[in-house]
Amino acid sequence: MTVSVRVPEELSARVPAEQRGPGLGRDAVRLLVSRGTAVAHHAFRELPVLLRAGDLLVVNTSPTLAAAVDGRIGHARVVVHFSTRGDDGRWAVELRDPDGRGTTRARAGSPAGTEVALPGGGRLLLEEPLSARGERLRWARPSGAEVAEVLREHGRPIRYSYTERDQPLSVYQTVFALASPDGSGSAEMPSAARPFTGRLVAELVSRGVQFAPVTLHTGVSSAEAHEPPYPERFAVPEASARVINQVRAGGGRVVAVGTTAVRAVESAAGPDGVVRAAEGWTDLVVTPGRGVRVVDGLLTGLHEPEASHLLMLEAVAGRAAVGRAYEEALRRLYLWHEFGDLHLILPEENPHTERCGGNSW
């Protein structure tokens, strides 16, 4: 465990911001801002004045899938969480048991050879585990129906027990999401980008903030396991690599929107810190020991103390800064999880350097 805090259950965001009161939008969340161990409190709508002309936001364009589907093993009901589409047409899946409250609980491992019946006549045959680290996620070979069609017709967004009710898929799509030609996407929303609206993006652009799209299709997380992330598919286009390198060379700050954007761009960076176009699978785990080569700042949600994401935050900001921020988040009753408040980590200001072109280094 890195940051030693306990998050009370009442600080879980149970519904999206726009459903908490009349006239509210997605951007009606709070923003905790860290510069070293200095912490400030803002509304998320103030993001444009917290960034500078010449800064760059790296955003994940992966769409969220309706990745939870009811199934059966014999007469037993199960819920299939479709996590990751493989290059060979198989899918990595997690089987869970319905808990009777509209959500699910962990299921004891199902061995290779287990067959799962899906709605619409589809079937899954479980094969080997996705990783040698454990059997929670297994590769499954589909037959009888295309998985993309099953998700479209019978899927729903993955939902965890801290949320109040099911939500339509549109609630889980970010303003940056782009449909994938092969039906790939994220099992769970790249949630750091959720509060962005078209209007906010336009204001950022008008103030000289640039955007670099990348793609990383996130797999399922686990409230039980607290595992390092599994390998995931990513792509950093040539145009995005070029603008990232240009901004860094010009003294601008590269701020990743979400831990998924960090994993994608750092996977495409060489030891020299130069980002090159890349795509494929990444098993990179960003830790304080590995550090970051490209990212100067990070916009992210608030993570559980046991989550491996906190190691990435420490790689960007340092343990003392992350610990201080989380103490403040608890003290000021910030909300956790995908519908919760946001945390912006920026480099420390140096009062002894001159400002030039809006940047301070």
Side-chain angles (χ1 to χ4, degrees):
M1 184 182 296
T2 55
V3 177
S4 182
V5 297
R6 186 186 70 83
V7 181
E9 185 178 342
E10 58 267 23
L11 294 186
S12 295
R14 296 177 59 79
V15 295
E18 63 272 22
Q19 296 178 17
R20 295 178 199 149
L24 297 179
R26 284 180 171 230
D27 56 358
V29 295
R30 289 187 290 171
L31 182 63
L32 181 75
V33 181
S34 295
R35 293 182 177 89
T37 55
V39 176
H41 303 278
H42 294 268
F44 183 77
R45 294 186 181 118
E46 296 175 71
L47 181 64
V49 301
L50 296 168
L51 299 177
R52 306 172 183 153
D55 285 346
L56 176 73
L57 292 174
V58 181
V59 297
N60 186 1
T61 63
S62 178
T64 307
L65 302 175
V69 176
D70 294 324
R72 288 188 175 274
I73 299 176
H75 295 293
R77 293 176 58 220
V78 296
V79 177
V80 183
H81 285 179
F82 285 85
S83 179
T84 306
R85 184 185 183 278
D87 295 332
D88 58 1
R90 296 187 299 170
W91 281 77
V93 302
E94 179 185 19
L95 300 188
R96 295 178 68 87
D97 288 325
D99 63 3
R101 300 188 300 273
T103 53
T104 61
R105 57 177 175 261
R107 177 181 173 83
S110 300
T114 299
E115 189 172 78
V116 182
L118 300 174
R123 307 191 83 77
L124 291 175
L125 182 65
L126 298 190
E127 298 184 347
E128 77 275 14
L130 174 62
S131 166
R133 292 198 300 265
E135 299 187 358
R136 181 175 66 88
L137 289 175
R138 281 187 172 273
W139 287 111
R141 191 172 298 278
S143 61
E146 291 291 329
V147 170
E149 182 180 340
V150 172
L151 299 187
R152 250 191 329 268
E153 295 294 324
H154 305 285
R156 61 187 179 275
I158 290 174
R159 176 189 156 209
Y160 290 106
S161 58
Y162 51 77
T163 58
E164 187 173 287
R165 56 181 177 271
D166 284 343
Q167 299 283 350
L169 184 59
S170 59
V171 165
Y172 290 89
Q173 299 295 5
T174 75
V175 72
F176 304 111
L178 298 173
S180 300
D182 63 0
S184 296
S186 289
E188 298 182 14
M189 173 178 54
S191 55
R194 188 184 188 278
F196 283 86
T197 63
R199 180 175 180 174
L200 187 67
V201 170
E203 183 178 352
L204 286 161
V205 171
S206 74
R207 289 174 174 267
V209 176
Q210 300 182 73
F211 288 82
V214 299
T215 301
L216 187 132
H217 297 312
T218 68
V220 298
S221 64
S222 170
E224 294 83 18
H226 304 302
E227 304 153 310
Y230 283 82
E232 294 168 321
R233 290 174 64 192
F234 82 104
V236 176
E238 174 63 38
S240 293
R242 185 166 58 250
V243 72
I244 291 168
N245 294 329
Q246 289 171 347
V247 166
R248 296 188 74 232
R253 299 176 297 186
V254 176
V255 179
V257 177
T259 57
T260 61
V262 176
R263 196 181 199 197
V265 75
E266 292 288 332
S267 296
D272 56 0
V274 175
V275 178
R276 297 169 177 86
E279 63 179 309
W281 291 82
T282 178
D283 59 3
L284 176 66
V285 180
V286 178
T287 64
R290 190 267 188 190
V292 288
R293 297 169 178 170
V294 178
V295 172
D296 301 302
L298 173 60
L299 179 68
T300 183
L302 295 164
H303 302 284
E304 291 290 350
E306 298 87 352
S308 62
H309 297 295
L310 286 181
L311 293 174
M312 182 183 291
L313 270 63
E314 290 182 9
V316 176
R319 178 172 297 183
V322 176
R324 170 73 176 131
Y326 272 57
E327 289 173 3
E328 274 293 290
L330 287 170
R331 188 176 72 84
R332 297 289 288 263
L333 304 180
Y334 276 67
L335 295 180
W336 256 251
H337 301 304
E338 65 266 32
F339 299 142
D341 297 316
L342 274 288
H343 180 199
L344 176 63
I345 299 170
L346 292 174
E348 290 186 75
E349 296 281 1
N350 185 346
H352 302 295
T353 57
E354 295 182 1
R355 289 184 178 271
C356 181
N359 292 315
S360 175
W361 295 96

